[in-house]
Amino acid sequence: MLIRGGRVLDQAGERRLDVLLDGGRIAAVGTDFDADDLDVEDPDADVKVLDAGGCVVSPGFVDLHAHLREPGREDAETIETGCRAAVLGGYTAVVAMPNTEPAQDERGVVEFVRRQGERAGLCEVLPAGCITIGRAGETLAPFFELVAAGVRIFTDDGNGVQDPLLMRRAMEYSLGLDMVLAQHCEVARLTHGAVMHEGRCCSELGLPGWPALAEELMVHRDLELARLTGASLHLLHLSTVGSVDLVRRAKSDGVAVTAEAAPHHFCLTDEQLRGYDAVFKVNPPLRTGDDVAAIKTGLADGTIDAIATDHAPHTSADKERPIDEAPPGMLGLETALGVALAELELPLVDIIGLLSWKPAAIAGVADRHGTNVEPGNPANLVVFDPAATWSVRPGMLASRSRNTPYVGRQLRGKVRHTIFQGVPVVVDSTVLSGANGRIRSFAEDRT
Amino acid sequence: MKHLRSIEEIGTDGVLRLLDLTDTMVEVNRRPNPRVPALRGKTVCNLFFEDSTRTRLSFETAAKRLSADVMTFTVGTSSVNKGESLRDTIETVAAMGVDAFVVRHGSSGVPWQVSRWTTASIVNGGDGWHGHPTQALLDAYTVRTALGRTGGLDGLRVAIVGDIRHSRVARSNVEVFTALGADVTLVAPATLLPPAPPAPTTADLDEVIEKVDVLYLLRMQQERMQEALVPSLREYSARFGLTAQRAHRLPEHALVMHPGPMNRGVEILVDPAELPGAVITQQVTNGVAVRMAVLFELLGAGRDVPTESTP
């Protein structure tokens, strides 16, 4: 298969190249291929030539933070519908958060999630593991067993690990294992009942506030624990000025920390809550314009390593409950690129890095995702039009849920094609159903 | 005016229009037969997800005096949690033909949610910590009549004392008094203030008590003690209660108000009957007239209030 007429953009820079794929890998790059003369033996390829005119061809995106809801809440999302959303957003790998029911705290659940991802066959699903059993913050999950099952990222996301001694033990015990501890930073005693950011807006709306301090205290605690123990730490969905400052300082001191930010935290503010629409309720909450600016600065100066969606599907019934009872979270997989290109004033290559090779390194998949568009590398690619503007209609989304906060908003940058393991899974912004069952198992790859 | 979900959405003009209309309704209520056919054929549904007998009775009385049909639906929030969703409840009741919903709910913002699911007018009968606009209107009306004012309340000094943070009454009253030109001061410890208070604050009641025209006491709830917001009710009374000593220091003309129900011995330690400035009963009386004005404003387009009692 040939990807023709695009601008290749990766860590090696930008060049005009056609890309020839074969056997799941990039066979050749050049400018003088003639499609009619192609002698590519690929019986699965229904599509021989993908037009990339006006588009960027780059390594596929890697999402460090998606809630795919399966097992447990298949009414909100399944791994298959989540993967459809992911590939429409240009992702070729997605980390599946472990707050499923049951939680991903043992080998069986982790393997189930991975297998469901393979069955969907659209992108690679990387199950995260829990830090503590049942995410209850009491007993450490079996890190060694889960690492052996291919887990790299460990988190109790949705909950922060409250007990500082337990978090210290988790960090110490993680040493020597190929893993990273990913913290949801929230001191729960300071956010009891909180619906939105604590500030002027929550005061006017009569809603309990979630103070920035509750995030920053745990960011500070865990940075210091990481400094003390030498463990690898990743901080999930940073949302405040103070958090960005703390991480910047720790990085300059050489602490082994990485951090991510979600698109909604560099795009939307707490003012969105004024209509009491729970679609805008998210954890950590939408904050102020100053916080949005700080997140953007952090993304620009390397303090924040990755854009991660925190894709969190919820049914309309759940989101229509009174706002203090409605669950937090918003969709993100299909809109992340469009929000990033619309909101961030960064060179395109930097934005792609934040979506692709930088998170690939954190997720431990840099051998197969985020790799340069060069012969011999795995063909996990995205082709997107960086200038296309579009606006979101909830009904057009592939996710089973509808809780997107971007309805009616103009986004910039639209995924045209996504190629996973050399197979086009999205062509002309449409998911190809034929991909099911044709994707090789990564379990086989690892052995 | 389509809805009354907050004071903010009707603005100063809306407040003044409703207060003037309340004068008419007070006149109706003084008649031997205080009933007019102004809203005949209209249906008002009181949807109370939180128990509040006095507000519910006040709205029912107001609707009946305007000859509207009244449905009252009282549900404990917990039973709704177990069964029908809020949206299904609204759509079901709306399907019976409702012109206005009076919504009372323990969660802030529910009136805005409800207004997305029905074309009926929405009156906020109290939502969470957020707002209680008819209470604020009846308070403003009570002040205006007790002090013999017409129009706004320019320069009036109002102190609201107590649990501002959790008080829907405080939020709406700050809006209404500020809209009418009054100077509002909030008197509370910082534990009982919202993170960004909507008016100047002090934690010293004794500093302001000699300089107020209106002293507005809020209900202090027992459960706040468990959250360590104040050390004890006794301590609260000593610091923020209207004691006899403090009552003596009030200016002679000052009004003392309370939204009810009162915790005697906590926020008020004197018998209100012995306070010359207490207008707590007038607040309740005016509540019916204000709610009549609100319902008539929302539903009475093209109609008028007959100037004489109808047989």
mmCIF file of all heavy atoms in Angstrom, chain A residues 406-442:
data_model
loop_
_atom_site.group_PDB
_atom_site.id
_atom_site.type_symbol
_atom_site.label_atom_id
_atom_site.label_comp_id
_atom_site.label_asym_id
_atom_site.label_seq_id
_atom_site.Cartn_x
_atom_site.Cartn_y
_atom_site.Cartn_z
ATOM 1 N N TYR A 406 -17.333 19.736 23.558
ATOM 2 C CA TYR A 406 -16.941 20.604 22.438
ATOM 3 C C TYR A 406 -18.050 20.824 21.420
ATOM 4 O O TYR A 406 -17.781 21.273 20.312
ATOM 5 C CB TYR A 406 -15.702 20.020 21.742
ATOM 6 C CG TYR A 406 -14.534 19.835 22.674
ATOM 7 C CD1 TYR A 406 -14.073 18.566 23.005
ATOM 8 C CD2 TYR A 406 -13.902 20.941 23.249
ATOM 9 C CE1 TYR A 406 -13.004 18.397 23.881
ATOM 10 C CE2 TYR A 406 -12.846 20.784 24.122
ATOM 11 C CZ TYR A 406 -12.393 19.511 24.438
ATOM 12 O OH TYR A 406 -11.350 19.349 25.304
ATOM 13 N N VAL A 407 -19.286 20.512 21.788
ATOM 14 C CA VAL A 407 -20.380 20.669 20.835
ATOM 15 C C VAL A 407 -20.416 22.106 20.327
ATOM 16 O O VAL A 407 -20.423 23.059 21.114
ATOM 17 C CB VAL A 407 -21.740 20.320 21.483
ATOM 18 C CG1 VAL A 407 -22.881 20.602 20.517
ATOM 19 C CG2 VAL A 407 -21.750 18.852 21.887
ATOM 20 N N GLY A 408 -20.433 22.237 19.020
ATOM 21 C CA GLY A 408 -20.550 23.562 18.422
ATOM 22 C C GLY A 408 -19.240 24.319 18.335
ATOM 23 O O GLY A 408 -19.172 25.376 17.717
ATOM 24 N N ARG A 409 -18.177 23.788 18.954
ATOM 25 C CA ARG A 409 -16.900 24.505 18.940
ATOM 26 C C ARG A 409 -16.128 24.175 17.664
ATOM 27 O O ARG A 409 -16.134 23.042 17.208
ATOM 28 C CB ARG A 409 -16.094 24.089 20.162
ATOM 29 C CG ARG A 409 -14.782 24.820 20.334
ATOM 30 C CD ARG A 409 -14.109 24.375 21.612
ATOM 31 N NE ARG A 409 -14.738 24.995 22.766
ATOM 32 C CZ ARG A 409 -14.245 26.069 23.372
ATOM 33 N NH1 ARG A 409 -13.132 26.630 22.945
ATOM 34 N NH2 ARG A 409 -14.852 26.596 24.411
ATOM 35 N N GLN A 410 -15.480 25.183 17.105
ATOM 36 C CA GLN A 410 -14.660 24.963 15.910
ATOM 37 C C GLN A 410 -13.329 24.350 16.297
ATOM 38 O O GLN A 410 -12.583 24.920 17.098
ATOM 39 C CB GLN A 410 -14.401 26.298 15.203
ATOM 40 C CG GLN A 410 -15.499 26.716 14.259
ATOM 41 C CD GLN A 410 -15.186 26.372 12.818
ATOM 42 O OE1 GLN A 410 -14.151 26.727 12.288
ATOM 43 N NE2 GLN A 410 -16.100 25.659 12.181
ATOM 44 N N LEU A 411 -13.039 23.176 15.758
ATOM 45 C CA LEU A 411 -11.739 22.550 15.977
ATOM 46 C C LEU A 411 -10.956 22.616 14.678
ATOM 47 O O LEU A 411 -11.517 22.793 13.599
ATOM 48 C CB LEU A 411 -11.915 21.097 16.419
ATOM 49 C CG LEU A 411 -12.796 20.871 17.652
ATOM 50 C CD1 LEU A 411 -12.797 19.398 18.043
ATOM 51 C CD2 LEU A 411 -12.354 21.729 18.826
ATOM 52 N N ARG A 412 -9.635 22.466 14.801
ATOM 53 C CA ARG A 412 -8.799 22.554 13.614
ATOM 54 C C ARG A 412 -7.916 21.314 13.540
ATOM 55 O O ARG A 412 -7.262 20.953 14.515
ATOM 56 C CB ARG A 412 -7.918 23.806 13.663
ATOM 57 C CG ARG A 412 -7.301 24.161 12.325
ATOM 58 C CD ARG A 412 -6.906 25.628 12.289
ATOM 59 N NE ARG A 412 -5.803 25.916 13.195
ATOM 60 C CZ ARG A 412 -4.533 25.657 12.908
ATOM 61 N NH1 ARG A 412 -4.201 25.108 11.755
ATOM 62 N NH2 ARG A 412 -3.574 25.943 13.760
ATOM 63 N N GLY A 413 -7.927 20.662 12.409
ATOM 64 C CA GLY A 413 -7.124 19.453 12.237
ATOM 65 C C GLY A 413 -8.016 18.235 12.297
ATOM 66 O O GLY A 413 -8.654 17.962 13.307
ATOM 67 N N LYS A 414 -8.055 17.512 11.189
ATOM 68 C CA LYS A 414 -8.983 16.374 11.103
ATOM 69 C C LYS A 414 -8.201 15.163 10.603
ATOM 70 O O LYS A 414 -7.455 15.257 9.620
ATOM 71 C CB LYS A 414 -10.097 16.745 10.116
ATOM 72 C CG LYS A 414 -11.132 15.663 9.902
ATOM 73 C CD LYS A 414 -12.314 15.872 10.835
ATOM 74 C CE LYS A 414 -13.388 14.814 10.622
ATOM 75 N NZ LYS A 414 -13.828 14.190 11.856
ATOM 76 N N VAL A 415 -8.395 14.045 11.289
ATOM 77 C CA VAL A 415 -7.724 12.818 10.872
ATOM 78 C C VAL A 415 -8.388 12.286 9.608
ATOM 79 O O VAL A 415 -9.612 12.128 9.547
ATOM 80 C CB VAL A 415 -7.784 11.760 11.998
ATOM 81 C CG1 VAL A 415 -7.290 10.405 11.485
ATOM 82 C CG2 VAL A 415 -6.956 12.226 13.190
ATOM 83 N N ARG A 416 -7.569 12.044 8.601
ATOM 84 C CA ARG A 416 -8.084 11.491 7.348
ATOM 85 C C ARG A 416 -7.947 9.959 7.357
ATOM 86 O O ARG A 416 -8.905 9.251 7.139
ATOM 87 C CB ARG A 416 -7.314 12.112 6.169
ATOM 88 C CG ARG A 416 -7.695 11.592 4.791
ATOM 89 C CD ARG A 416 -8.647 12.487 4.005
ATOM 90 N NE ARG A 416 -8.302 13.867 3.913
ATOM 91 C CZ ARG A 416 -7.648 14.441 2.890
ATOM 92 N NH1 ARG A 416 -7.213 13.721 1.872
ATOM 93 N NH2 ARG A 416 -7.444 15.730 2.874
ATOM 94 N N HIS A 417 -6.723 9.479 7.603
ATOM 95 C CA HIS A 417 -6.493 8.030 7.617
ATOM 96 C C HIS A 417 -5.681 7.639 8.851
ATOM 97 O O HIS A 417 -4.830 8.412 9.296
ATOM 98 C CB HIS A 417 -5.687 7.570 6.395
ATOM 99 C CG HIS A 417 -6.082 8.209 5.099
ATOM 100 N ND1 HIS A 417 -7.358 8.113 4.585
ATOM 101 C CD2 HIS A 417 -5.364 8.945 4.212
ATOM 102 C CE1 HIS A 417 -7.402 8.774 3.424
ATOM 103 N NE2 HIS A 417 -6.205 9.294 3.178
ATOM 104 N N THR A 418 -5.953 6.451 9.361
ATOM 105 C CA THR A 418 -5.109 5.885 10.418
ATOM 106 C C THR A 418 -4.687 4.488 9.978
ATOM 107 O O THR A 418 -5.521 3.703 9.494
ATOM 108 C CB THR A 418 -5.873 5.804 11.755
ATOM 109 O OG1 THR A 418 -6.372 7.102 12.075
ATOM 110 C CG2 THR A 418 -4.974 5.312 12.880
ATOM 111 N N ILE A 419 -3.399 4.203 10.115
ATOM 112 C CA ILE A 419 -2.870 2.903 9.699
ATOM 113 C C ILE A 419 -2.286 2.215 10.916
ATOM 114 O O ILE A 419 -1.431 2.766 11.614
ATOM 115 C CB ILE A 419 -1.779 3.062 8.605
ATOM 116 C CG1 ILE A 419 -2.408 3.650 7.341
ATOM 117 C CG2 ILE A 419 -1.144 1.722 8.267
ATOM 118 C CD1 ILE A 419 -2.155 5.102 7.164
ATOM 119 N N PHE A 420 -2.792 1.009 11.184
ATOM 120 C CA PHE A 420 -2.325 0.247 12.332
ATOM 121 C C PHE A 420 -1.719 -1.058 11.840
ATOM 122 O O PHE A 420 -2.385 -1.820 11.148
ATOM 123 C CB PHE A 420 -3.500 -0.013 13.277
ATOM 124 C CG PHE A 420 -3.161 -0.905 14.445
ATOM 125 C CD1 PHE A 420 -2.096 -0.599 15.288
ATOM 126 C CD2 PHE A 420 -3.912 -2.034 14.709
ATOM 127 C CE1 PHE A 420 -1.797 -1.411 16.369
ATOM 128 C CE2 PHE A 420 -3.620 -2.849 15.787
ATOM 129 C CZ PHE A 420 -2.558 -2.550 16.626
ATOM 130 N N GLN A 421 -0.471 -1.269 12.168
ATOM 131 C CA GLN A 421 0.248 -2.467 11.731
ATOM 132 C C GLN A 421 0.153 -2.655 10.213
ATOM 133 O O GLN A 421 -0.055 -3.754 9.709
ATOM 134 C CB GLN A 421 -0.287 -3.711 12.454
ATOM 135 C CG GLN A 421 -0.034 -3.644 13.955
ATOM 136 C CD GLN A 421 -0.432 -4.923 14.666
ATOM 137 O OE1 GLN A 421 -1.164 -5.745 14.124
ATOM 138 N NE2 GLN A 421 0.055 -5.081 15.887
ATOM 139 N N GLY A 422 0.234 -1.526 9.527
ATOM 140 C CA GLY A 422 0.250 -1.572 8.076
ATOM 141 C C GLY A 422 -1.119 -1.663 7.433
ATOM 142 O O GLY A 422 -1.228 -1.617 6.202
ATOM 143 N N VAL A 423 -2.161 -1.762 8.254
ATOM 144 C CA VAL A 423 -3.515 -1.911 7.706
ATOM 145 C C VAL A 423 -4.276 -0.604 7.921
ATOM 146 O O VAL A 423 -4.280 -0.066 9.035
ATOM 147 C CB VAL A 423 -4.259 -3.064 8.413
ATOM 148 C CG1 VAL A 423 -5.689 -3.186 7.907
ATOM 149 C CG2 VAL A 423 -3.504 -4.368 8.234
ATOM 150 N N PRO A 424 -4.916 -0.079 6.886
ATOM 151 C CA PRO A 424 -5.709 1.135 7.103
ATOM 152 C C PRO A 424 -6.959 0.806 7.923
ATOM 153 O O PRO A 424 -7.779 -0.004 7.490
ATOM 154 C CB PRO A 424 -6.077 1.586 5.684
ATOM 155 C CG PRO A 424 -5.929 0.371 4.836
ATOM 156 C CD PRO A 424 -4.965 -0.554 5.498
ATOM 157 N N VAL A 425 -7.076 1.388 9.113
ATOM 158 C CA VAL A 425 -8.255 1.156 9.960
ATOM 159 C C VAL A 425 -9.222 2.330 9.871
ATOM 160 O O VAL A 425 -10.407 2.201 10.169
ATOM 161 C CB VAL A 425 -7.857 0.876 11.420
ATOM 162 C CG1 VAL A 425 -7.186 -0.492 11.532
ATOM 163 C CG2 VAL A 425 -6.952 1.954 11.981
ATOM 164 N N VAL A 426 -8.700 3.498 9.474
ATOM 165 C CA VAL A 426 -9.553 4.640 9.151
ATOM 166 C C VAL A 426 -9.143 5.119 7.764
ATOM 167 O O VAL A 426 -7.955 5.334 7.513
ATOM 168 C CB VAL A 426 -9.391 5.793 10.161
ATOM 169 C CG1 VAL A 426 -10.122 7.054 9.682
ATOM 170 C CG2 VAL A 426 -9.903 5.382 11.533
ATOM 171 N N VAL A 427 -10.125 5.232 6.873
ATOM 172 C CA VAL A 427 -9.875 5.770 5.542
ATOM 173 C C VAL A 427 -10.925 6.840 5.286
ATOM 174 O O VAL A 427 -12.123 6.599 5.502
ATOM 175 C CB VAL A 427 -9.950 4.672 4.460
ATOM 176 C CG1 VAL A 427 -9.882 5.295 3.063
ATOM 177 C CG2 VAL A 427 -8.813 3.670 4.633
ATOM 178 N N ASP A 428 -10.475 8.010 4.889
ATOM 179 C CA ASP A 428 -11.376 9.141 4.658
ATOM 180 C C ASP A 428 -12.292 9.381 5.865
ATOM 181 O O ASP A 428 -13.513 9.525 5.731
ATOM 182 C CB ASP A 428 -12.208 8.922 3.387
ATOM 183 C CG ASP A 428 -11.333 8.981 2.143
ATOM 184 O OD1 ASP A 428 -10.309 9.703 2.172
ATOM 185 O OD2 ASP A 428 -11.641 8.271 1.167
ATOM 186 N N SER A 429 -11.683 9.384 7.047
ATOM 187 C CA SER A 429 -12.378 9.679 8.313
ATOM 188 C C SER A 429 -13.489 8.683 8.637
ATOM 189 O O SER A 429 -14.423 9.013 9.373
ATOM 190 C CB SER A 429 -12.939 11.111 8.322
ATOM 191 O OG SER A 429 -11.909 12.037 8.041
ATOM 192 N N THR A 430 -13.389 7.489 8.097
ATOM 193 C CA THR A 430 -14.378 6.455 8.380
ATOM 194 C C THR A 430 -13.653 5.193 8.852
ATOM 195 O O THR A 430 -12.652 4.796 8.247
ATOM 196 C CB THR A 430 -15.184 6.122 7.105
ATOM 197 O OG1 THR A 430 -15.756 7.342 6.620
ATOM 198 C CG2 THR A 430 -16.296 5.122 7.398
ATOM 199 N N VAL A 431 -14.183 4.590 9.922
ATOM 200 C CA VAL A 431 -13.554 3.370 10.422
ATOM 201 C C VAL A 431 -13.900 2.221 9.475
ATOM 202 O O VAL A 431 -15.061 2.034 9.107
ATOM 203 C CB VAL A 431 -14.056 3.030 11.840
ATOM 204 C CG1 VAL A 431 -13.365 1.771 12.361
ATOM 205 C CG2 VAL A 431 -13.799 4.191 12.785
ATOM 206 N N LEU A 432 -12.870 1.477 9.079
ATOM 207 C CA LEU A 432 -13.103 0.301 8.238
ATOM 208 C C LEU A 432 -13.460 -0.864 9.145
ATOM 209 O O LEU A 432 -12.703 -1.233 10.036
ATOM 210 C CB LEU A 432 -11.846 -0.047 7.440
ATOM 211 C CG LEU A 432 -11.420 0.939 6.361
ATOM 212 C CD1 LEU A 432 -10.325 0.307 5.514
ATOM 213 C CD2 LEU A 432 -12.587 1.357 5.482
ATOM 214 N N SER A 433 -14.602 -1.461 8.907
ATOM 215 C CA SER A 433 -15.026 -2.555 9.775
ATOM 216 C C SER A 433 -14.219 -3.810 9.501
ATOM 217 O O SER A 433 -14.088 -4.677 10.331
ATOM 218 C CB SER A 433 -16.505 -2.837 9.577
ATOM 219 O OG SER A 433 -16.770 -2.994 8.204
ATOM 220 N N GLY A 434 -13.650 -3.895 8.300
ATOM 221 C CA GLY A 434 -12.954 -5.109 7.907
ATOM 222 C C GLY A 434 -11.685 -5.388 8.689
ATOM 223 O O GLY A 434 -11.077 -6.448 8.511
ATOM 224 N N ALA A 435 -11.293 -4.480 9.542
ATOM 225 C CA ALA A 435 -10.045 -4.681 10.268
ATOM 226 C C ALA A 435 -10.162 -5.784 11.314
ATOM 227 O O ALA A 435 -9.170 -6.382 11.702
ATOM 228 C CB ALA A 435 -9.624 -3.383 10.941
ATOM 229 N N ASN A 436 -11.379 -6.048 11.756
ATOM 230 C CA ASN A 436 -11.548 -7.024 12.832
ATOM 231 C C ASN A 436 -10.906 -8.357 12.500
ATOM 232 O O ASN A 436 -11.109 -8.924 11.443
ATOM 233 C CB ASN A 436 -13.038 -7.272 13.101
ATOM 234 C CG ASN A 436 -13.620 -6.167 13.945
ATOM 235 O OD1 ASN A 436 -12.920 -5.202 14.241
ATOM 236 N ND2 ASN A 436 -14.868 -6.305 14.318
ATOM 237 N N GLY A 437 -10.141 -8.863 13.457
ATOM 238 C CA GLY A 437 -9.627 -10.219 13.336
ATOM 239 C C GLY A 437 -8.409 -10.345 12.455
ATOM 240 O O GLY A 437 -7.846 -11.424 12.347
ATOM 241 N N ARG A 438 -8.007 -9.237 11.840
ATOM 242 C CA ARG A 438 -6.861 -9.371 10.943
ATOM 243 C C ARG A 438 -5.555 -8.920 11.578
ATOM 244 O O ARG A 438 -4.514 -8.960 10.968
ATOM 245 C CB ARG A 438 -7.105 -8.529 9.687
ATOM 246 C CG ARG A 438 -8.232 -9.058 8.839
ATOM 247 C CD ARG A 438 -8.040 -8.624 7.419
ATOM 248 N NE ARG A 438 -7.750 -7.196 7.352
ATOM 249 C CZ ARG A 438 -8.322 -6.391 6.469
ATOM 250 N NH1 ARG A 438 -9.196 -6.867 5.611
ATOM 251 N NH2 ARG A 438 -8.015 -5.125 6.425
ATOM 252 N N ILE A 439 -5.656 -8.481 12.817
ATOM 253 C CA ILE A 439 -4.486 -7.883 13.429
ATOM 254 C C ILE A 439 -3.754 -8.949 14.245
ATOM 255 O O ILE A 439 -4.356 -9.698 14.996
ATOM 256 C CB ILE A 439 -4.916 -6.723 14.342
ATOM 257 C CG1 ILE A 439 -5.790 -5.735 13.561
ATOM 258 C CG2 ILE A 439 -3.703 -6.040 14.939
ATOM 259 C CD1 ILE A 439 -5.125 -5.124 12.355
ATOM 260 N N ARG A 440 -2.465 -8.969 14.071
ATOM 261 C CA ARG A 440 -1.671 -9.941 14.814
ATOM 262 C C ARG A 440 -1.720 -9.636 16.300
ATOM 263 O O ARG A 440 -1.791 -8.487 16.720
ATOM 264 C CB ARG A 440 -0.213 -9.886 14.333
ATOM 265 C CG ARG A 440 0.008 -10.548 12.994
ATOM 266 C CD ARG A 440 1.422 -10.284 12.523
ATOM 267 N NE ARG A 440 1.676 -8.852 12.422
ATOM 268 C CZ ARG A 440 2.676 -8.230 13.034
ATOM 269 N NH1 ARG A 440 3.510 -8.911 13.793
ATOM 270 N NH2 ARG A 440 2.861 -6.947 12.884
ATOM 271 N N SER A 441 -1.631 -10.686 17.075
ATOM 272 C CA SER A 441 -1.638 -10.523 18.519
ATOM 273 C C SER A 441 -0.299 -9.975 18.981
ATOM 274 O O SER A 441 0.751 -10.450 18.575
ATOM 275 C CB SER A 441 -1.907 -11.863 19.183
ATOM 276 O OG SER A 441 -1.480 -11.819 20.516
ATOM 277 N N PHE A 442 -0.352 -8.984 19.874
ATOM 278 C CA PHE A 442 0.894 -8.478 20.425
ATOM 279 C C PHE A 442 1.507 -9.468 21.386
ATOM 280 O O PHE A 442 2.691 -9.464 21.641
ATOM 281 C CB PHE A 442 0.670 -7.127 21.094
ATOM 282 C CG PHE A 442 0.588 -6.046 20.091
ATOM 283 C CD1 PHE A 442 -0.638 -5.588 19.643
ATOM 284 C CD2 PHE A 442 1.735 -5.513 19.556
ATOM 285 C CE1 PHE A 442 -0.704 -4.602 18.696
ATOM 286 C CE2 PHE A 442 1.663 -4.521 18.600
ATOM 287 C CZ PHE A 442 0.434 -4.070 18.161
#
